[in-house]
Amino acid sequence: MIVFALPTLASNILQTLSGSVNAIWVGQFLGNSALAATANANIIMFLMFATFFGFGMAATVLIGQAIGRGDIDAARRATGGVVGLALLFSLVIAVVGWFASDAILRWLETPAEAFALAHDYLRVTFIAVPASMMMVTLMMASRGAGDAITPLRFMILTVVLDIVLNPVLILGLGPAPRLGIAGSALATAIAGTISLIGMVGWFYAKNHPLRLRGRELGYLVPSLSELRFIIGRGLPMGAQMLVISGAGLVMVGLVNREGLVTAAAYGATLQLWNYIQMPALAVGAAVSAMVAQNIGAGRWDRVSTVTNSGIAINLAMTGVLIGLLLAFDRAALGLFLGDGSEAIEVARHIQLLATWTFLPFGTTIVLIGTLRANGSVIPPLIILALSMFPIRLGFYWLGYPMLGADAIWWSFPLSSLASVAMAWAVYRRGNWRRVLAQPAATSS
């Protein structure tokens, strides 16, 4: 599991590193208003990707179980179906997002000082959605087939290009135009597009198990049986991410009410939290893929072992990262906010109160990964919906008169503890083991 999870973890770290370096460029060159603008825009983009995430995960279940059975054609059929769906979905999102940018930012109560910058950044980012979504979809499919190395290779390429192009386009170095915050978004778009082209070429050059040729290109139009499975399982999985991202949007709105300093502090905190959650996401993905393949192979005896190992590995890795972050938080936050920023102390306070939330959060992610590997998607949705809204927001509204902004930060660990308790109960007592995911992709 560690060998399989490490390339995914490295890919996630590199992706987050790219975003962090970009935030450093933006914060140092353009100031706190620009940093707050990127935080507002990035949560919106997470929401867009979360909308499609469930379809990709449903296809990954099909791919993993097909690989476990040794049915390569079914794995390719599932890959083609989700890639075709991703292309259509991302084009619609790009067009709608371009025209709805201002309305979305107003709904988020984006601070006036950051509104124009967020507008420019968000619009350019929407242009990049199709290439980015196709890249993410291919990476998910590849991991579902047990190949975590290919996504890592092209994540490295993406990160290198993004880090190099950001200062060039922000500052207008050499012959490049000076684009400011829009240059940061454009650099990310260019890097993602080049990497997507490279990854597709690699699939064909290396005869990757999921590559499509000849009649297989027709798999880009999914059959009705595949579409029913991907949509039927994918909608609840996507809804899980929408619940998380929707709660994130609400929290951004609540933080924005506290003023620009708190918004900038929260933006820097989110950058660091992205690293803390990396082990949970990587291990959760590894657990889900391994459980799906073992279910496909009929090896139910391995499922509990995989899950328990995932929980232990995640707790160890996440615990170490939390300790390092709290030990060096001032230096880390200074990278994004500048050494003299008044937002640093606010961000340190947020870290002390809420960073440990990622221990129960990671355990929940591993348990949910096991459940969804067999197509059990409704219980995780209910768990996340309850923990993110009635519990988290309920605590905020009840606690704010007494705690002020601290009610926001304390709501994070409270909701995570509730979610892990509910997820463990479903894992131990639920009937998810009897809800066998049907390999609909094998139907013609």
Side-chain angles (χ1 to χ4, degrees), residues 269 329 333 343-355 403 405-406 409-410:
T269 298
D329 60 346
L333 290 165
I344 287 183
E345 290 306 315
V346 177
R348 292 187 72 212
H349 181 67
I350 296 171
Q351 300 274 15
L352 288 172
L353 292 184
T355 300
L403 299 174
D406 281 358
W409 322 130
W410 279 113

Side-chain angles (χ1 to χ4, degrees), residues 39-263:
N40 279 258
N42 286 337
I43 193 68
I44 295 166
M45 296 316 300
F46 179 76
L47 176 63
M48 298 299 103
F49 279 88
T51 305
F52 187 79
F53 173 83
F55 301 132
M57 282 307 307
T60 299
V61 169
L62 285 178
I63 293 167
Q65 293 194 6
I67 293 294
R69 295 191 308 272
D71 190 346
I72 300 299
D73 186 67
R76 290 174 180 170
R77 187 178 286 112
T79 301
V82 75
V83 167
L85 198 59
L87 180 59
L88 177 62
F89 182 86
S90 61
L91 289 173
V92 172
I93 290 296
V95 173
V96 172
W98 173 271
F99 291 105
S101 296
D102 283 358
I104 295 171
L105 292 172
R106 281 193 293 269
W107 178 65
L108 277 177
E109 300 186 32
T110 302
E113 305 95 319
F115 193 95
L117 293 169
H119 166 86
D120 294 343
Y121 184 87
L122 186 59
R123 277 201 158 183
V124 176
T125 302
F126 269 120
I127 296 175
V129 164
S132 298
M133 191 165 287
M134 294 292 290
M135 187 75 172
V136 170
T137 301
L138 286 177
M139 286 182 172
M140 291 173 68
S142 183
R143 291 174 186 136
D147 174 19
I149 298 298
T150 297
L152 175 60
R153 288 191 178 101
F154 291 94
M155 184 54 66
I156 293 172
L157 175 61
T158 301
V159 170
V160 170
L161 291 174
D162 199 8
I163 290 175
V164 170
L165 290 174
N166 250 269
V168 171
L169 295 177
I170 290 174
L171 300 175
L173 302 179
R178 184 184 180 92
L179 300 176
I181 195 170
S184 178
L186 183 59
T188 301
I190 293 173
T193 301
I194 292 174
S195 295
L196 173 63
I197 294 171
M199 188 171 181
V200 172
W202 180 273
F203 267 45
Y204 284 93
K206 298 298 182 178
N207 197 30
H208 193 279
L210 300 183
R211 63 98 185 102
L212 305 179
R213 282 199 176 100
R215 66 173 183 82
E216 296 169 342
L217 293 173
Y219 295 164
L220 292 171
V221 179
S223 69
L224 289 178
S225 61
E226 292 158 0
L227 206 56
R228 280 195 300 269
F229 185 95
I230 291 174
I231 293 177
R233 295 296 195 279
L235 283 177
M237 289 186 192
Q240 294 170 26
M241 296 301 295
L242 285 174
V243 166
I244 295 174
S245 56
L249 283 172
V250 173
M251 299 308 287
V252 167
L254 297 177
V255 170
N256 285 340
R257 293 181 182 181
E258 304 297 321
L260 182 61
V261 171
T262 303

